[in-house]
Amino acid sequence: PQNLTFSFGLSQVGEFAFVLSNSAREAGILSQESMDTLVAVVALSMVVTPLVMLINDRWIQPRLCDPDKNKPRREHDVESEENPVIIAGFGHFGNTVGRFLRANNIGATVLDTDSDNVDTLRRMGFKVYYGDASRHELLEIAGARQAKLIIIAIGDEEKRLEMIETIKKHFPNLRMLVRATNRNDAYSLMNAGMLHIYRETLDTSIRMGVDAMKLLGFRAHETTRLAKTFFKEDERRLKYLSSIRNADEYVIAIRKYVEELEETLRADRDMLRSGVEEGWDERQMVEERSQAVEEDR
Amino acid sequence: PQNLTFSFGLSQVGEFAFVLSNSAREAGILSQESMDTLVAVVALSMVVTPLVMLINDRWIQPRLCDPDKNKPRREHDVESEENPVIIAGFGHFGNTVGRFLRANNIGATVLDTDSDNVDTLRRMGFKVYYGDASRHELLEIAGARQAKLIIIAIGDEEKRLEMIETIKKHFPNLRMLVRATNRNDAYSLMNAGMLHIYRETLDTSIRMGVDAMKLLGFRAHETTRLAKTFFKEDERRLKYLSSIRNADEYVIAIRKYVEELEETLRADRDMLRSGVEEGWDERQMVEERSQAVEEDR
């Protein structure tokens, strides 16, 4: 693109001819008539150059740089399959869900719009269709009418919301499980009526917190239990927080929520510890211990 | 930036004066001497214009568009704290880890380079320092010499690798827990010698798979158990797969791995089911059931 700008810019250099032509006329090489024509041509080119550059910037370069914008690089190849699950988006998120389902013998029809990704995955032995799952006719072909649920695993927030509206309208019986970028995106998805929302880094970041505590010497089963409480509380509050529209109110609500969460976990910790000290009933102890062993494995 | 390009481009319009001045000379308004000076000035401006535009494109605009690149917008405000944990990066990933630790009464010194994020978080009651945790002198101030571990939760892959090298060099005793974007990024981190790697969407995508199975009618404790096997196997193979450099070999290895994973989970499922049918010993049954109840809650 840089080169192209320069090529167009070069037409400006033509004007340099004007300077030369003037000297030429003075030396008697060019007649007054030829000179007049030349002046007109050069003057015109000076007016046209910025226009050509503008056209280049606005219409030509955007198409060269992003050919996908105006037409898809290839036709969809979605085929009819009678699977109970449709997966929209097979990047690292959708891919993991897909592998887990497949490993459990559950059929899933997979759609992805990244042409290179589709090819790579096929070479790796995955059955992936090239096609945009936000187009209702492709969802129809993919079997959205027979399927029980759709995994919306694409990374683009806007596109996800579009897809949800399409599905609500055309396939009201299809259950949606939706990936969310973060807390704010989860609020948007809640407001779009979604019930199954998965904040993409939530679980892993909690696991990291658990491991940090273990490295600091905390007991495995205690931290795992605290993590479960943390997770449940965080999900529970999400709905309430999503209803707050006012920014100042939101800040106050978050402050309050964080304090309450600390309080809840403190109570949980105290209970766990006093329980162990005073001696729990045996079955509970055995259970706790075997769980901890399993989690450590 | 678009406007700026145009402003510089406008100097070209000055040349139009040349055309006019020529007419002026012919009408006897300008002397030959003035005309010569004018030609020289205009010719010079014609040569200079493209240079000015080039300088603008290469040096001026990049600085205007990305002021962070050459100097930070504000000075760091990191203070000395004697916390066992340092958290680098407090976006939605680091924030969750931080909230979990804080809720468990574990002190963490938090550094973030996003000025707006720092301000927002402070208003929400979080103690966050503005400062780049890849600068060893800031890590020093933050207490990297006394701390037990650092949570590397920033989103930028390159920057993470830089940070790791800095820590290895200056704080060899500081344990690192690192966020990874995906499988490929995890390979890079393994090759950098990291032991605690957390693929950011791994756990949540598996949870989504578990919930999908539950919605399809599978039993909660069965799917949860399968998810644990899936997770463990996936993490176990990561190390082996990271050692493969050849692209074709990698494709073959992935194919084989996916098949083996399916085999492992199939065996797990069969065992679970036959176990239930043939009647397990009572304690195991009770344990399974109580676990399942807890997970459903």
Side-chain angles (χ1 to χ4, degrees):
Chain A
Q2 197 75 2
N3 291 336
L4 211 64
T5 303
F6 258 72
S7 311
F8 281 106
L10 277 178
S11 73
Q12 187 206 351
V13 174
E15 295 157 25
F16 205 68
F18 192 33
V19 183
L20 292 173
S21 69
N22 202 46
S23 312
R25 200 193 60 129
E26 267 151 28
I29 302 165
L30 274 173
S31 70
Q32 180 63 44
E33 204 177 302
S34 316
M35 186 62 193
D36 288 346
T37 316
L38 204 63
V39 168
V41 168
V42 169
L44 192 69
S45 98
M46 279 169 156
V47 174
V48 168
T49 301
L51 281 175
V52 172
M53 288 180 80
L54 187 69
I55 290 167
N56 173 44
D57 271 6
R58 288 280 171 85
W59 289 285
I60 300 174
Q61 288 210 10
R63 290 191 192 209
L64 283 178
C65 299
D66 188 5
D68 287 346
K69 204 145 197 172
N70 296 293
K71 57 168 192 151
R73 252 189 298 178
R74 71 194 216 194
E75 280 295 302
H76 85 86
D77 50 25
V78 184
E79 281 171 32
S80 171
E81 280 189 61
E82 305 233 322
N83 284 323
V85 179
I86 295 171
I87 299 178
F90 216 57
H92 52 270
F93 193 102
N95 184 280
T96 307
V97 183
R99 280 191 302 123
F100 180 66
L101 294 179
R102 177 172 145 174
N104 286 310
N105 224 13
I106 294 166
T109 305
V110 179
L111 273 74
D112 196 283
T113 50
D114 182 334
S115 194
D116 294 338
N117 190 34
V118 168
D119 294 336
T120 308
L121 287 164
R122 282 182 186 165
R123 270 189 293 125
M124 286 178 180
F126 293 100
K127 194 172 177 189
V128 184
Y129 293 118
Y130 177 74
D132 186 348
S134 66
R135 286 168 57 192
H136 76 92
E137 68 275 20
L138 291 197
L139 281 174
E140 183 89 49
I141 299 173
R145 223 160 277 283
Q146 298 84 45
K148 293 249 184 334
L149 53 92
I150 184 166
I151 305 282
I152 301 178
I154 58 171
D156 186 324
E157 296 181 11
E158 290 295 313
K159 195 110 187 173
R160 277 198 294 249
L161 290 168
E162 277 174 39
M163 201 178 281
I164 288 165
E165 293 311 315
T166 304
I167 293 165
K168 273 194 212 164
K169 194 176 157 196
H170 297 276
F171 313 101
N173 294 322
L174 193 62
R175 285 172 117 162
M176 294 180 254
L177 282 76
V178 199
R179 166 185 177 181
T181 312
N182 50 31
R183 186 175 281 272
N184 282 325
D185 185 38
Y187 296 156
S188 310
L189 293 169
M190 278 188 168
N191 293 330
M194 292 298 95
L195 296 171
H196 306 283
I197 298 165
Y198 300 81
R199 284 177 280 165
E200 59 186 19
T201 65
L202 179 63
D203 303 61
T204 303
S205 53
I206 294 177
R207 176 163 60 94
M208 204 193 221
V210 167
D211 286 359
M213 283 182 72
K214 284 186 197 167
L215 286 172
L216 292 173
F218 285 76
R219 286 158 65 195
H221 74 279
E222 183 180 339
T223 46
T224 307
R225 184 139 173 168
L226 291 167
K228 275 184 188 167
T229 307
F230 182 87
F231 175 80
K232 269 182 223 162
E233 289 294 314
D234 202 64
E235 286 276 281
R236 199 167 64 80
R237 301 297 171 104
L238 201 64
K239 198 164 181 89
Y240 167 64
L241 289 168
S242 78
S243 65
I244 303 172
R245 287 282 177 284
N246 182 295
D248 292 333
E249 264 182 55
Y250 183 77
V251 167
I252 294 163
I254 280 274
R255 286 186 92 118
K256 191 161 157 266
Y257 156 62
V258 170
E259 279 164 26
E260 281 174 2
L261 189 62
E262 279 175 39
E263 202 49 60
T264 309
L265 264 79
R266 193 170 304 128
D268 226 37
R269 263 196 330 272
D270 291 347
M271 198 199 67
L272 265 170
R273 283 175 185 171
S274 68
V276 171
E277 275 160 23
E278 287 163 20
W280 281 357
D281 72 78
E282 189 128 1
R283 207 184 63 77
Q284 204 168 1
M285 285 286 283
V286 170
E287 211 181 286
E288 279 284 326
R289 213 175 291 144
S290 68
Q291 243 188 46
V293 169
E294 196 183 331
E295 274 144 9
D296 277 346
R297 242 187 282 143
Chain B
Q2 196 77 2
N3 290 337
L4 211 63
T5 304
F6 259 71
S7 310
F8 280 106
L10 276 178
S11 73
Q12 187 206 353
V13 174
E15 295 157 26
F16 204 69
F18 193 30
V19 182
L20 291 173
S21 69
N22 202 44
S23 311
R25 198 192 63 128
E26 266 150 30
I29 300 166
L30 276 171
S31 70
Q32 180 62 42
E33 204 178 301
S34 314
M35 184 65 192
D36 287 345
T37 316
L38 205 61
V39 168
V41 168
V42 171
L44 192 69
S45 100
M46 280 168 157
V47 173
V48 168
T49 300
L51 282 175
V52 171
M53 288 179 82
L54 187 70
I55 289 165
N56 173 45
D57 272 7
R58 288 280 170 84
W59 289 283
I60 299 172
Q61 288 211 9
R63 288 187 194 212
L64 282 178
C65 299
D66 188 5
D68 287 346
K69 204 148 198 169
N70 295 293
K71 57 167 193 150
R73 252 188 298 178
R74 68 192 214 197
E75 280 296 302
H76 85 84
D77 50 25
V78 183
E79 281 172 30
S80 172
E81 281 189 58
E82 306 232 324
N83 285 322
V85 180
I86 295 172
I87 300 179
F90 216 56
H92 49 273
F93 193 102
N95 182 280
T96 307
V97 182
R99 280 192 302 125
F100 180 66
L101 294 179
R102 177 172 144 173
N104 287 309
N105 224 10
I106 295 164
T109 305
V110 179
L111 272 75
D112 196 282
T113 50
D114 181 335
S115 194
D116 295 338
N117 190 35
V118 168
D119 294 335
T120 308
L121 286 164
R122 281 182 186 168
R123 269 189 294 124
M124 286 178 181
F126 294 99
K127 192 172 178 187
V128 185
Y129 293 117
Y130 177 75
D132 185 348
S134 66
R135 286 168 55 192
H136 76 92
E137 68 274 21
L138 290 198
L139 281 174
E140 183 90 49
I141 300 171
R145 223 160 276 284
Q146 298 84 44
K148 293 246 184 338
L149 52 93
I150 183 166
I151 305 281
I152 301 179
I154 57 170
D156 186 322
E157 297 181 10
E158 290 297 312
K159 195 108 187 175
R160 276 196 296 247
L161 289 169
E162 275 174 40
M163 202 179 281
I164 288 166
E165 293 312 314
T166 304
I167 293 165
K168 273 194 214 165
K169 194 177 157 196
H170 297 275
F171 313 100
N173 294 322
L174 193 61
R175 286 172 116 163
M176 294 180 252
L177 281 76
V178 199
R179 166 185 178 180
T181 312
N182 51 32
R183 185 176 281 274
N184 282 326
D185 184 38
Y187 296 157
S188 310
L189 293 169
M190 278 187 167
N191 294 330
M194 292 298 97
L195 295 172
H196 306 282
I197 298 166
Y198 299 83
R199 286 177 279 166
E200 59 186 19
T201 65
L202 179 63
D203 304 62
T204 303
S205 53
I206 294 178
R207 177 163 59 94
M208 203 192 220
V210 166
D211 285 0
M213 283 181 72
K214 285 186 196 167
L215 286 172
L216 292 172
F218 285 76
R219 286 157 65 194
H221 74 280
E222 184 180 338
T223 47
T224 307
R225 183 138 173 168
L226 292 166
K228 276 186 188 167
T229 307
F230 182 88
F231 174 81
K232 270 182 222 162
E233 288 295 314
D234 203 65
E235 286 276 281
R236 200 167 63 82
R237 302 295 172 105
L238 202 64
K239 197 163 182 90
Y240 167 65
L241 288 168
S242 78
S243 65
I244 303 173
R245 288 280 178 285
N246 182 294
D248 292 333
E249 262 182 58
Y250 183 76
V251 167
I252 293 163
I254 279 274
R255 286 186 93 118
K256 189 159 158 272
Y257 156 62
V258 170
E259 279 164 27
E260 282 174 0
L261 189 62
E262 279 175 39
E263 202 49 62
T264 310
L265 264 79
R266 193 171 303 126
D268 225 37
R269 262 195 331 271
D270 291 347
M271 197 200 67
L272 265 170
R273 282 173 187 173
S274 69
V276 171
E277 274 160 24
E278 287 164 21
W280 280 356
D281 72 79
E282 190 129 2
R283 206 186 62 79
Q284 204 167 2
M285 285 287 283
V286 169
E287 211 181 287
E288 279 284 325
R289 214 175 289 146
S290 69
Q291 241 187 49
V293 168
E294 197 185 330
E295 273 145 9
D296 278 346
R297 244 186 280 143

